[in-house]
Every structure is written in C-alpha cells, then in structure tokens.
Amino acid sequence: MNRIDTRAAIVDAAASLLRESGPAAVTTRGVAERAGVQAPTIYRLFGDKDGLLEAVAEHVMAAFVAAKAGEVEAATAADVDPLDDLRASWLRQIEFGLTNPAVFRLLSDPERVAGSPAAGRGRQILAARVHRLAAAGRLRVPEPHAVALIQAAGVGAIQTLLATPREQRDPTLGETLMDAVLARILTDTPTGVPDGPVATAVALRALAPDLDALSDSERRLLIEWLDRITAAG
C-alpha cells in the first residue's frame, strides 16, 4: 500500500475500534493488527495515539458533514420548507452525537473544534440553513446569533443525553430544546412576511449581497445599516 492507502486503512481500523468500544480500545497494537500494518507505521504517520484519535474524529465528522452538505443542496433545489429542513437536520445531529459519543466528545473540546476543518464546514452548513430562513422572512434575530443559539443548544442536548443513563433519557429533550430556540429566533408569522422592522431588516440583510442593482459600496453601506438595526433590536 502507498502512504495514502496505508493512512486510510489505519484511520478506518481505528474508527471501527472507536465506534465498537470507545477510545480505550484504540491502542497502537489493536489498530495495527486490524489495519494489517506495523505499529511503527502508526507513529510515523500520526505521531501518537492522540494524533490518531484526532484524525479519526475528523474523518468520521467529515463524512457526516459531507452528507449534510448534500442535504442542503437537495433541500434548496427541491424548495423544501427551510424550517422543516432545519428541524430534520437538528434531529440528525442529535442522533449522530448519540451514535458516535467518542467522536462527539473529541470534537466538543473547544481547542479541537477551533482547528477542525470538518467542524468549521459543519457550522457553515448550519449557517446556510439559517440563511434560508432569513431570506424567507422567518428570522427575527441576526443570522450569526441564530446559528450560535442552535449550535449551543444542540451541543448541550447531546451532552445532557450522553450523561444520562440510556434507560433514563428523555426522548423528547432534543425536540423540546429545538422548539425553545425556534420560539426565540423565529417571527410569529409563518407566512414568510417579515413581522416588524427587525425581522424585515434581517430578511433584507440576507438578500443584500445579491442586490445587483446597487454598487459594491452601496451594498456595503446598506449591510452596515441593516446590521445596526438588527443589533439594536
């Protein structure tokens, strides 16, 4: 095997062990045996066990994020209601965290998240879903604030559920938290007509970068005004 194939085989082997038995099972010897390589190869490619675990977490998360990106494109092309799309994505995120607790815990470390391309791409995809809501006139808060609220609530829900014995978990916790966040960020009118000046500003802010009738400087000025309105609201 070449270097790329060897690295992929090691990551796949470690990912299987991590999924089956958790981080403690990801030993150099165990991974080497499953991947069919010598232990020194792992040290040469990943440095140590922590380096290997980070690579595995990134690999699993990247695959999940790639699927989410495809979902956004499909939902946009099919004109799926942006709120329905966001709800479905939220539930899939909760399920991913509960199904991959070791990966979730690794990527819940703020330092790891800051340097994770997959986590950054995941945030971009969430921002795209929120942007669709804003463009539809459904958002009453600035898009970055909505993204932060959704992300914080999602991480909190997964952490709480993972910390609770499986038989004692509240199966409605995720949806209940989602409803609470939506009540905070959405307008009261489901018609797509912005409800009040702030919601109107948020909707126009979502569309402002595409207003070709304005010059670049005019668009920048308009965005500055709209950001000021939404921040004051």
Side-chain angles (χ1 to χ4, degrees), residues 5 10 20 23 127 134:
D5 290 340
I10 292 171
E20 293 166 7

Side-chain angles (χ1 to χ4, degrees), residues 202-225:
V202 171
L204 183 54
R205 173 65 175 81
L207 302 173
D210 300 320
L211 297 177
D212 295 332
L214 302 179
S215 66
D216 288 343
S217 59
E218 288 170 336
R219 279 195 296 271
R220 286 195 296 270
L221 183 58
L222 175 60
I223 288 172
E224 180 183 341
W225 287 341

Side-chain angles (χ1 to χ4, degrees), residues 180-193:
V181 171
L182 292 177
R184 174 67 183 88
I185 69 174
L186 295 183
T187 64
D188 294 328
T189 55
T191 60
V193 178

Side-chain angles (χ1 to χ4, degrees), residues 18-89:
L18 184 68
R19 184 171 53 252
E20 293 166 7
S21 306
V26 185
T27 63
T28 302
R29 179 178 178 180
V31 173
E33 289 179 354
R34 183 165 295 200
V37 301
Q38 298 297 314
T41 303
I42 297 176
Y43 291 110
R44 186 171 66 251
L45 291 175
F46 300 97
D48 55 20
K49 179 179 176 179
D50 283 343
L52 176 57
L53 284 173
E54 288 192 14
V56 170
E58 189 69 20
H59 169 72
V60 176
M61 186 65 179
F64 177 67
V65 167
K68 289 176 66 177
E71 292 165 3
V72 172
E73 294 175 1
T76 303
D79 199 26
V80 174
D81 181 84
L83 180 54
D84 291 340
D85 181 40
L86 179 61
R87 281 186 176 278
S89 172

Side-chain angles (χ1 to χ4, degrees), residues 60-230:
V60 176
M61 186 65 179
F64 177 67
V65 167
K68 289 176 66 177
E71 292 165 3
V72 172
E73 294 175 1
T76 303
D79 199 26
V80 174
D81 181 84
L83 180 54
D84 291 340
D85 181 40
L86 179 61
R87 281 186 176 278
S89 172
W90 169 279
L91 294 177
R92 284 191 293 271
Q93 183 72 41
I94 300 293
E95 181 61 28
F96 173 82
L98 297 180
T99 304
N100 300 274
V103 171
F104 171 77
R105 291 188 177 101
L106 285 170
L107 289 176
S108 294
D109 181 337
E111 292 185 1
R112 279 196 172 100
V113 170
S116 166
R121 179 58 179 146
R123 188 178 178 89
Q124 291 175 356
I125 292 169
L126 173 58
R129 285 190 158 101
V130 170
H131 181 74
R132 291 187 67 217
L133 277 173
R138 296 299 317 278
L139 211 59
R140 74 160 90 204
V141 301
E143 292 179 48
H145 184 58
V147 170
L149 281 175
I150 294 169
Q151 191 169 47
V155 170
I158 296 170
Q159 287 179 331
T160 299
L161 289 168
L162 288 177
T164 305
R166 188 180 299 273
E167 66 278 5
Q168 297 177 21
R169 291 176 185 174
D170 178 359
T172 69
L173 180 65
E175 290 187 70
T176 301
L177 268 176
M178 179 86 260
D179 288 339
V181 171
L182 292 177
R184 174 67 183 88
I185 69 174
L186 295 183
T187 64
D188 294 328
T189 55
T191 60
V193 178
D195 181 19
V198 174
T200 300
V202 171
L204 183 54
R205 173 65 175 81
L207 302 173
D210 300 320
L211 297 177
D212 295 332
L214 302 179
S215 66
D216 288 343
S217 59
E218 288 170 336
R219 279 195 296 271
R220 286 195 296 270
L221 183 58
L222 175 60
I223 288 172
E224 180 183 341
W225 287 341
L226 293 170
D227 284 343
R228 198 179 303 170
I229 293 171
T230 58

